[in-house]
């Protein structure tokens, strides 16, 4: 399998698919295409017909879009979703909500693992997004989290979908209390999250569109 991704410092969508692959223990080749270069679009289009990453390539399959990649992986690795139908439905709902929502959090607090920007990007809209994320986490943990420290107990696709929010909370100094804070700490300590973070810190490319001014 081959996963085409972008800069680890900035590419929140890449992180989701990459974590899902790491979570199932599937070996894969990583192809990193740098964002914001003169040939970025051309290079991504060599792999991904949408012109966007992540894109998973496996023999005859080409799958783009993070959630489609996760669903495709889950056919082979069903442990990516929770074991019971009710928990699976809930996990899919919060994952789809993450995939299609939270525009203020995305635009005003872009993932930028290298930077510490406490308090930046807070507007009523981003505060509302943050509050909704925390409410989702608390609800999942309360309903389905008793068998482990992740949203649905063991690590699932839902955790992969919320992983970039965890790096955003770390950068922008969002410090939820109680169970949500414990979940955030668990995610940031996950070995694959630490591996991604170390690689992001080692990158030097800057994408001005994703940088808030000092
Ligand atoms: N909904 C898509 C979004 C993918 C996306 O927007 N990817 C960005 C990188 S994080 C991209 O490929 N950008 C291409 C560019 O900026 O040229 C997904 O879930 O994969």
């Amino acid at each position: 399998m081959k996963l085409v991704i972008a800069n680890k410092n900035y590419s929140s969508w890449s992180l989701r698919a990459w974590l899902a692959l790491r979570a199932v223990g599937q070996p894969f080749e990583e192809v990193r295409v740098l964002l914001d270069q003169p040939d970025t679009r051309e290079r991504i289009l060599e792999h991904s017909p949408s012109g966007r990453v992540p894109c998973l390539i496996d023999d005859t399959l080409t799958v783009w879009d993070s959630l489609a990649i996760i669903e495709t992986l889950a056919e082979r690795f069903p442990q990516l979703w929770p074991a019971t139908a009710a928990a699976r439905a809930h996990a899919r709902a919060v994952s789809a909500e993450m995939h299609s929502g939270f525009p203020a959090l995305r635009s005003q607090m872009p993932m930028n693992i290298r930077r510490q920007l406490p308090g930046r990007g807070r507007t009523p809209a981003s505060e509302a997004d943050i509050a909704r994320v925390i409410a989702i986490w608390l609800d999942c943990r309360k309903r389905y989290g008793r068998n482990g420290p992740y949203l649905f107990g063991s690590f699932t696709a839902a955790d992969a979908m919320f992983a970039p929010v965890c790096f955003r909370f770390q950068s922008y100094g969002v410090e939820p209390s109680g169970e949500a804070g414990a979940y955030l700490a668990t995610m940031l300590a996950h070995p694959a999250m630490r591996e991604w973070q170390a690689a992001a810190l080692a990158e030097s490319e800057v994408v001005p569109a994703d940088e808030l001014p000092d």
Side-chain angles (χ1 to χ4, degrees):
M1 277 192 192
K2 186 160 82 179
L3 185 71
V4 187
I5 61 171
N7 313 45
K8 289 186 171 167
N9 186 57
Y10 299 109
S11 186
S12 55
W13 298 108
S14 300
L15 168 61
R16 295 174 168 106
W18 185 94
L19 268 183
L21 275 163
R22 273 284 188 276
V24 298
Q26 168 69 34
F28 61 100
E29 179 196 344
E30 186 180 298
V31 177
R32 202 172 61 109
V33 178
L34 295 180
L35 295 169
D36 199 39
Q37 303 294 308
D39 63 347
T40 297
R41 184 160 174 79
E42 193 188 325
R43 290 209 49 215
I44 292 179
L45 282 171
E46 285 169 18
H47 308 279
S48 171
S50 66
R52 300 206 169 262
V53 293
C55 182
L56 180 75
I57 296 146
D58 181 23
D59 294 329
T60 57
L61 284 183
T62 295
V63 190
W64 57 96
D65 195 289
S66 54
L67 204 46
I69 292 170
I70 282 171
E71 288 291 8
T72 303
L73 287 173
E75 288 185 18
R76 197 182 306 179
F77 303 102
Q79 70 272 26
L80 264 180
W81 292 116
T84 69
R88 267 199 308 281
H90 200 94
R92 285 198 163 99
V94 298
S95 297
E97 183 178 346
M98 182 74 248
H99 188 252
S100 62
F102 302 99
L105 193 56
R106 262 186 237 301
S107 60
Q108 287 150 35
M109 300 165 72
M111 191 174 93
N112 189 339
I113 295 171
R114 288 194 301 252
R115 299 281 304 275
Q116 286 301 311
L117 299 155
R120 298 289 304 278
R122 307 292 181 87
T123 63
S126 64
E127 294 281 12
D129 280 355
I130 290 168
R132 175 63 190 147
V133 165
I134 292 172
I136 289 171
W137 289 358
L138 291 175
D139 187 43
C140 291
R141 292 282 312 135
K142 188 166 160 214
R143 284 174 196 249
Y144 299 110
R146 61 188 114 5
N147 293 326
Y150 296 99
L151 293 178
F152 293 84
S154 58
F155 189 96
T156 67
D159 301 294
M161 290 304 292
F162 280 88
V165 171
C166 297
F167 281 138
R168 285 184 168 99
F169 281 13
Q170 176 175 251
S171 289
Y172 295 90
V174 180
E175 293 174 349
S177 57
E179 187 74 23
Y183 170 68
L184 176 61
T186 296
M187 282 294 289
L188 292 173
H190 188 289
M193 289 284 278
R194 294 177 75 96
E195 183 187 344
W196 180 278
Q197 175 169 268
L201 294 178
E203 289 178 344
S204 56
E205 304 86 11
V206 173
V207 175
D210 283 336
E211 290 289 337
L212 297 189
D214 282 320

